[in-house]
Amino acid sequence: MVLITYDVSTKTLPGQKRLRKVAKLCENYGQRVQNSVFECVIDPQQFADLQHELKKIIDHELDSLRFYQLGSKWHGKVEHIGAKQTYDPEGFMMI
């Protein structure tokens, strides 16, 4: 389990485009759990690929990415309280 958070400057049109690209790429790998937060159950190669692609998108002077590697025993490390129903990222997903 990897938790990905990002902050992309959206003061300009290129910044708004970067934000959409970052979000779209993260959606391909995991589940959005907050506005700029994704939980991703991915293997090490997928994580490396995702990091590489995200680094190509962001403006390193204006934007930031944070990666929290929770590992395979993440279940006891994640607690949810409040609005928005939680989900099981390793469970069955109906599309």
Side-chain angles (χ1 to χ4, degrees):
M1 166 76 81
V2 176
L3 186 72
I4 300 171
T5 67
Y6 54 86
D7 188 16
V8 176
S9 176
T10 57
K11 294 179 182 177
T12 64
L13 186 58
Q16 294 168 15
K17 288 181 180 181
R18 288 194 312 276
L19 176 65
R20 286 191 295 275
K21 287 181 180 180
V22 167
K24 181 74 171 162
L25 183 59
C26 288
E27 286 173 352
N28 291 337
Y29 285 86
Q31 175 70 37
R32 182 190 302 265
V33 293
Q34 304 239 330
N35 287 337
S36 297
V37 181
F38 281 81
E39 291 178 351
C40 305
V41 178
I42 53 180
D43 64 40
Q45 184 59 55
Q46 290 172 315
F47 179 48
D49 293 344
L50 177 56
Q51 275 188 312
H52 178 74
E53 292 301 313
L54 287 170
K55 288 176 187 177
K56 290 187 335 188
I57 295 170
I58 68 163
D59 181 324
H60 294 251
E61 299 294 318
L62 301 173
D63 309 330
S64 68
L65 295 166
R66 294 180 70 90
F67 302 96
Y68 300 88
Q69 298 181 54
L70 301 178
S72 60
K73 297 182 182 184
W74 61 270
H75 293 89
K77 298 175 185 173
V78 177
E79 183 177 348
H80 176 263
I81 299 170
K84 294 188 180 180
Q85 186 176 9
T86 190
Y87 78 106
D88 179 2
E90 295 179 323
F92 178 76
M93 182 179 284
M94 183 180 278
I95 299 176

